[in-house]
């Protein structure tokens, strides 16, 4: 399976359904004091296609109530929504003939490469007897490029993508339900083939999710217990086990729901993204690497985030 969009098609994007909200310029004082915070989020939205109306970019979530009467009610195609945390602009990436995301698929990973290219891992979640489409990684450049991921077992999922400082693409592989065993892998940018790259052994009684690399080359991830308690850890190739740094908490309350994303800014500030259990929306938090204390910076109603580069 391969998706190719010309520059013209890439600009002719169809918008419909309820697009998750964009955000205005960051006026929150705590966020304003965090330098070099250039964050982009990704989500998904149903697409209503029409031969006459295409909207390449939007700055608001409200749909035009004067939409033409000939708009189709078929909303099976799904579009990927990119949002800028700083400008608030949202852009739907879709093509009427070849959707980037099918209704029975999820975005299991999202990152930016060192050259600024955004990359998503797309994983099938179908439970029917029909054979699912293969897991793939899609490079959101011009044109869009898609690679089928090879080296995964049928019950495995590739997620928590990370574009490293030295230009590689790595990720975490585990069972599709998120349970161990988990391994750290390298993804070949030309073929999509995965290979194990670390001898670090993750615990079998905790889920592992999210990868972040800071400018100093230190690699971080999070361990999640049965009750959602989340611990920040550092990965060191010289250590067989993750180095536990501290349990994540907000205002003294233990974080209880894992994280959607973990990102390191250009200045070395670690940022967590998610929401406490039964709370919405997701938000961006700064993280003290030593204590695990999290400070809420800004709500961001999207699914996953990464740092925009290039």
């Amino acid at each position: 399976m391969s998706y190719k969009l010309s520059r013209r098609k890439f600009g002719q994007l169809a918008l419909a359904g309820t697009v998750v909200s964009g955000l205005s310029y960051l006026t929150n004082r705590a966020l304003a004091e965090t330098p070099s915070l250039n964050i982009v989020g990704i989500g998904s939205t149903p697409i209503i296609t029409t031969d006459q109306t295409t909207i390449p970019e939007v700055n608001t979530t409200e749909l035009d109530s004067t939409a033409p009467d000939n708009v189709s009610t078929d909303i099976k195609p799904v579009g990927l929504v990119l949002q800028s945390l700083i400008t608030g602009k949202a852009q739907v990436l879709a093509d009427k003939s070849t959707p980037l995301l099918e209704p029975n698929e999820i975005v299991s990973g999202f990152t930016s490469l060192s050259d600024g290219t955004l990359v998503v891992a797309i994983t099938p979640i179908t439970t029917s007897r029909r054979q699912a489409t293969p897991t793939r990684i899609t490079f959101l450049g011009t044109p869009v490029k898609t690679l089928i991921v090879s080296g995964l077992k049928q019950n495995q999922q590739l997620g928590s993508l990370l574009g490293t400082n030295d230009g590689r693409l790595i990720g975490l592989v585990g069972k599709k339900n998120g349970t161990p065993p988990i391994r750290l892998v390298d993804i070949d940018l030309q073929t999509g083939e995965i290979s194990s790259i670390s001898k670090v052994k993750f615990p079998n009684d905790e889920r592992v999710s999210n990868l972040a690399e800071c400018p100093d080359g230190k690699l971080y991830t999070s361990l999640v217990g049965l009750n959602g308690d989340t611990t920040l850890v550092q990965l060191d190739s010289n250590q067989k086990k993750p180095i536990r740094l501290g349990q994540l908490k907000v205002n003294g309350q233990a974080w209880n729901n894992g994280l959607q994303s973990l990102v390191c800014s250009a200045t070395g500030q670690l940022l967590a993204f998610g929401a406490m259990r039964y709370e919405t929306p997701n938000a961006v938090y700064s993280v003290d690497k030593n204590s695990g204390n999290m400070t809420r910076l800004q709500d961001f109603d999207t699914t996953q985030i990464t740092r925009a580069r290039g």
Side-chain angles (χ1 to χ4, degrees):
M1 183 184 298
S2 177
Y3 295 123
K4 294 183 179 180
L5 299 181
S6 66
R7 183 179 296 273
R8 178 174 178 271
K9 286 185 178 180
F10 190 76
Q12 294 177 338
L13 306 174
L15 171 67
T18 302
V19 180
V20 290
S21 62
L23 296 177
S24 60
Y25 185 79
L26 307 178
T27 57
N28 181 285
R29 181 176 179 181
L31 192 54
E33 291 174 352
T34 304
S36 305
L37 199 68
N38 193 4
I39 297 296
V40 61
I42 195 167
S44 61
T45 183
I47 298 296
I48 296 179
T49 58
T50 166
D51 293 335
Q52 300 180 6
T53 305
T54 59
I55 306 175
E57 192 171 72
V58 294
N59 296 321
T60 179
T61 61
E62 296 189 5
L63 299 178
D64 186 356
S65 60
T66 60
D69 293 336
N70 63 343
V71 172
S72 170
T73 58
D74 182 5
I75 59 173
K76 290 184 180 180
V78 179
L80 296 176
V81 183
L82 295 179
Q83 293 178 268
S84 168
L85 183 64
I86 292 179
T87 67
K89 287 185 177 180
Q91 187 176 28
V92 180
L93 306 183
D95 180 73
K96 289 183 289 185
S97 60
T98 55
L100 298 180
L101 187 70
E102 299 287 351
N104 63 337
E105 296 175 329
I106 61 168
V107 173
S108 58
F110 179 51
T111 191
S112 60
L113 299 180
S114 56
D115 65 0
T117 302
L118 297 175
V119 185
V120 295
I122 298 174
T123 298
I125 57 172
T126 181
T127 57
S128 67
R129 294 183 179 180
R130 183 177 64 87
Q131 185 176 3
T133 55
T135 297
R136 60 191 183 275
I137 51 173
T138 297
F139 302 82
L140 301 178
T142 306
V144 169
K145 172 187 173 183
T146 293
L147 294 175
I148 301 302
V149 175
S150 60
L152 289 176
K153 295 180 180 178
Q154 188 173 4
N155 67 338
Q156 288 182 328
Q157 173 176 295
L158 171 66
S160 303
L161 293 184
L162 172 66
T164 64
N165 298 336
D166 60 3
R168 295 178 300 142
L169 178 63
I170 65 176
L172 294 172
V173 168
K175 293 182 180 179
K176 285 189 176 181
N177 60 6
T179 59
I182 306 291
R183 60 190 174 110
L184 187 64
V185 300
D186 182 90
I187 304 128
D188 191 296
L189 291 170
Q190 302 302 319
T191 66
E193 183 177 2
I194 64 172
S195 57
S196 297
I197 58 173
S198 173
K199 295 182 179 179
V200 174
K201 291 200 171 213
F202 295 107
N204 287 325
D205 57 349
E206 293 175 292
R207 290 181 290 117
V208 186
S209 61
N210 310 298
L211 290 169
E213 184 184 32
C214 287
D216 60 5
K218 290 183 179 179
L219 193 65
Y220 300 89
T221 187
S222 60
L223 303 180
V224 185
L226 292 177
N227 297 320
D229 50 296
T230 308
T231 303
L232 179 67
V233 300
Q234 182 183 335
L235 301 181
D236 187 332
S237 59
N238 296 319
Q239 301 288 331
K240 292 184 178 180
K241 295 181 179 180
I243 303 170
R244 294 177 183 262
L245 301 179
Q247 185 173 4
L248 297 182
K249 48 190 174 293
V250 178
N251 298 324
Q253 181 180 359
W255 188 265
N256 62 6
N257 200 30
L259 298 173
Q260 296 295 106
S261 301
L262 192 64
V263 174
C264 199
S265 74
T267 59
Q269 173 63 61
L270 201 60
L271 303 168
F273 178 67
M276 294 279 272
R277 192 174 302 171
Y278 309 122
E279 292 185 5
T280 55
N282 291 323
V284 178
Y285 296 80
S286 64
V287 180
D288 186 300
K289 299 172 189 174
N290 297 316
S291 66
N293 288 328
M294 300 168 61
T295 302
R296 191 186 192 98
L297 300 179
Q298 179 68 46
D299 289 350
F300 196 20
D301 195 358
T302 188
T303 304
Q304 295 187 42
I305 65 170
T306 190
R307 177 167 66 93
R309 297 192 275 190

